[in-house]
Structures are given as C-alpha cells and as structure tokens.
Amino acid sequence: MGDAPRIGIIGVGVISGIYLETLTERPDIRVTAIADLDMTRAATVAAGIPGARALEVPALLADPDVDVVLNLTIPAAHADIALAAIANGKHVYGEKPLAVDFASGRRVMDAATAAGVRLGSAPDTVLGTGAQTARAVIDEGRIGRPIAATAVMATAGPESWHPSPDFYFLPGGGPLMDMGPYYISALVHLLGPVTAVVGSASRMRSERVIGSGPRAGVRIPVDVDTHVTGILEHAGGALSTLTTSFDSVKSSAAPIEIHGETGSLSVPDPNMFSGEVLFCPLGSRDWEPVGDRAGYVDAARGIGLLDMLAAATDAEVRASGRLGLHTLEVMTAVLASAHAGARVELETTVERPPLVPLGSSFDLTAL
Ligand SMILES: NC(=O)c1ccc[n+]([C@@H]2O[C@H](COP(=O)([O-])OP(=O)(O)OC[C@H]3O[C@@H](n4cnc5c(N)ncnc54)[C@H](O)[C@@H]3O)[C@@H](O)[C@H]2O)c1
C-alpha cells in the first residue's frame, strides 16, 4: 500500500470535520480525494486539504490514488458505497451502522472477505481510555465473574440540533440503530459476544420538527421506533439490559454499569473517548475512581481507521467489520424481537477485540 495510506472520503457532512482533524494532522496519511452528492460541499472541503481533489462518487471509487474509502455518508448509503468501494479493491472504513439491515451488512462483510480487503466500522470511541480502562478492570478479575450490565441512552432526539435530521427517523435510524452501536460495541468489548436477545419498542410521535439550520420548523416523518429496550444474553452468561430512547427529556442513569460477583463498575459514555471509570468492590459503600489503565489517549474520531490501517493482521483490527456486523445483528434482532414478541437467537459471533494498551500509537506502514 506504500508508505502513506491514501484516503478518499465519501460524504462530508456534520461528522466529517472531526475525522479531518484527526487525519490531516498526521504526516503518515494522505487525504487525496473528497466526494459527496453535493459537489459544492465536496469542493469546499477539498479546497481546505493540500493535495486533495473533489471528485464525483464513481470517480473517487475508481481512483488509483485512493487506497482506503472512508464512508461518512448517511446510514441508508453505507452498504452500497462500501460494496462499490470493495468491488474497486479499496479497503473501507465506515460510520455506523455498517448497514441498515442485517442482510446488507452480511453482503458487505462477505464481499470484503472475498476481496481480501480490510473492513472497519465505527464506533471507535470505545477504543479510548473510558471503555478500555473498564475492560482492563474486568480482565484483571476485579469484579469477579460478570453477571449483568445496564446501558442507558435517553435523550429527546437529535432534531433540535442537527440541521438535516431526516435520516435519524428513517429505517436505519432511530435511537437503537443510531446510538446502539456505541453501547453494544462497548458491551461486546467488556462482556463478549451476544448469543440471543429479547426486545420491546414504542414510538411517541409520528412527526418531529427540525429545530435548527435553514429548514428549522419543517415537520419530518417518524418511520422508526423511538424508544427501544432489549435484553442481550452474552455468550459468557452475563445479561445486559439496554435502553435507547429519543422519547426522553433527561436522564441521570449511568451510561453503562457492569455488575460482577465481587464488584460493580460504572463506565463513562461510550459515545466519548474518555471519562471517569468508577469501581465499587463487594463490601464497600462508595465508588472509587479508577485511573486510566488502557486505551488510546486523547483520541478522536478516525482512530478506528488508523487502528485498522496499523493492525498487523486482519484479526487484530479492533473497530472491525466483524464487530460492526455483530452489532448490527444485535440491533436488528432486538427490533425483530420487539415486533414478533419473541426471543431471537443470533447467527454471528465475534471475538472480543484485543485490549488497547495504555498510550498505544501507530505504525501506519504495517498494511
Ligand atoms: N452528526 C453526528 O454527530 C454523528 C456522530 C457520529 C456518527 N455519525 C454518523 O456519521 C454519518 C454521517 O452523519 P452526518 O451527521 O455527518 O450526516 P450529514 O447528513 O450531515 O452528512 C452526510 C453527507 O453524506 C452525503 N451523502 C449522502 N448520501 C450520499 C451518497 N450516496 N453518496 C455520496 N454522498 C452522500 C450528504 O450529501 C452529506 O453531505 C452517519 O452514519 C451518522 O450516524 C454522525
């Protein structure tokens, strides 16, 4: 792949700015092309990156000066863009979810495997010091055998702040498909893969009102459940209870708590890279702060892509397509369970990704 991996970014909306900060400050990586359905937007972003060109999507996909496609489009476009990139022999790292339905996600994973290219999927927040420190505490045996977890994401929804929030309320959106990847991938890092789920879901309103940007005041339809709960049965025996909601006003629940035979852990927001991990051993009354013990320090979005490029083998990719597919199956199975009123067993499994040693850095010539 040469010394400096060449990245082509497709989709340069709200989240692309953070990725660009991570990628453009590194001398060992080059952003060579930018594409978006909105070519004005692509041209504006490309103009700010030395050596980058604005291209139409098909041109970027075929461009010999692109080794890796960074897919930051909306969820409904994730699978098609990934499949096209893989068909052109490119490695792919994409925003979550991997796809909006399990069959499409499976197609993407199978295509990447057949083509021998790497596939990575957000979120990468769980590679930061927050979730990784909690993982280290579990691996050290300090909570004993893990028994249960709770994970709570409860907000009023993104339409108040996102200028184009339509996709959050279309299939592939909703609180589970949008925010579930953070919580579920953290739970898999912490407790291992999931074997079966039970779900229940509801929807408070059939319309939402955009609260910011040029379309403020516009009513948009809600085509997804906006309060989704699930019980996740982990292969190791632990049970996680997950709540994701756009139908709440505020919550003081810990984002994630893990309970073991000899201790409990409070895990910071898995949508953030860092935060305070708290531990309470059996017999104690109070939480004790745990200093950082693992994880990429001062990380930001894009670290999962760097981790994918630096991994010596495909099996060591942490924000992997395999984890993205398993997470997607957990989510779609929770929704299927909610609609069928029945427990659903999963087809996929995944190894817990390797722990990130504290302060790890990269050698991007590995691939
Ligand atoms: N906004 C956030 O805070 C946030 C945070 C984390 C992850 N994400 C994820 O990042 C992704 C993008 O979110 P966003 O908020 O940046 O969305 P956005 O709507 O602001 O931007 C998406 C961009 O992709 C372009 N696009 C859509 N379909 C395309 C296609 N087929 N080909 C080329 N370009 C296409 C759009 O024109 C737009 O510029 C989503 O998967 C979202 O879940 C967003």
Side-chain angles (χ1 to χ4, degrees):
M1 215 170 108
D3 289 342
R6 296 164 299 180
I7 315 291
I9 305 179
I10 304 185
V12 279
V14 171
I15 204 61
S16 63
I18 308 176
Y19 276 88
L20 282 166
E21 278 179 32
T22 302
L23 300 179
T24 54
E25 73 181 18
R26 293 190 67 99
D28 52 358
I29 209 162
R30 283 167 53 211
V31 176
T32 53
I34 302 287
D36 196 293
L37 288 180
D38 180 342
M39 280 307 289
T40 310
R41 192 175 278 182
T44 305
V45 172
I49 307 168
R53 294 154 302 139
L55 299 175
E56 299 278 356
V57 173
L60 185 148
L61 289 167
D63 193 68
D65 206 24
V66 168
D67 305 304
V68 186
V69 169
L70 175 57
N71 183 3
L72 305 182
T73 59
I74 57 171
H78 287 174
D80 285 347
I81 297 278
L83 286 167
I86 293 165
N88 280 278
K90 313 293 188 197
H91 305 284
V92 180
Y93 183 91
E95 255 304 333
K96 47 73 187 169
L98 182 63
V100 294
D101 62 85
F102 178 58
S104 304
R106 171 77 92 180
R107 270 197 295 282
V108 173
M109 188 70 246
D110 289 349
T113 305
V117 297
R118 286 200 176 163
L119 178 66
S121 180
D124 53 5
T125 44
V126 293
L127 305 183
T129 49
Q132 291 293 313
T133 292
R135 157 79 180 270
V137 172
I138 293 172
D139 289 1
E140 288 161 13
R142 291 173 70 188
I143 69 164
R145 183 167 59 103
I147 305 298
T150 55
V152 180
M153 191 296 300
T155 71
E159 73 275 18
S160 60
W161 59 269
H162 197 293
S164 316
D166 311 61
F167 74 82
Y168 288 103
F169 300 102
L170 296 173
L176 181 65
M177 294 290 276
D178 178 52
M179 295 300 288
Y182 299 104
Y183 292 79
I184 295 164
S185 49
L187 290 169
V188 173
H189 273 268
L190 295 167
L191 298 175
V194 176
T195 54
V197 303
V198 177
S200 205
S202 64
R203 189 178 309 190
M204 180 170 69
R205 285 194 293 268
S206 59
E207 281 185 338
R208 299 257 170 162
V209 180
I210 300 178
S212 70
R215 293 167 62 222
V218 170
R219 293 182 167 277
I220 54 174
V222 174
D223 283 344
V224 288
D225 292 322
T226 43
H227 183 93
V228 186
T229 61
I231 296 167
L232 282 43
E233 302 175 19
H234 294 267
L239 300 178
S240 292
T241 306
L242 172 69
T243 301
T244 62
S245 184
F246 287 160
D247 290 347
S248 309
V249 174
K250 195 169 173 60
S251 172
S252 58
I256 297 180
E257 284 183 352
I258 309 283
H259 305 288
E261 276 181 313
T262 59
S264 290
L265 264 182
S266 175
V267 183
D269 185 346
N271 188 18
M272 303 291 168
F273 287 87
S274 58
E276 190 171 56
V277 175
L278 300 170
F279 171 61
C280 186
L282 186 64
S284 174
R285 298 175 68 87
D286 298 315
W287 293 112
E288 302 165 359
V290 180
D292 289 349
R293 302 173 98 83
Y296 292 119
V297 176
D298 294 332
R301 282 185 166 81
I303 199 98
L305 168 60
L306 301 177
D307 180 274
M308 178 181 96
L309 296 176
T313 65
D314 193 46
E316 290 168 40
V317 175
R318 293 185 173 91
S320 67
R322 291 179 301 282
L323 178 53
L325 182 64
H326 185 61
T327 302
L328 176 63
E329 189 184 16
V330 170
M331 296 190 293
T332 52
V334 165
L335 291 169
S337 169
H339 298 148
R343 178 173 172 276
V344 175
E345 295 192 357
L346 303 193
E347 291 173 23
T348 65
T349 190
V350 69
E351 296 280 316
R352 288 168 90 202
L355 184 83
V356 179
L358 186 63
S360 296
S361 58
F362 300 104
D363 172 8
L364 290 187
T365 57
L367 191 63

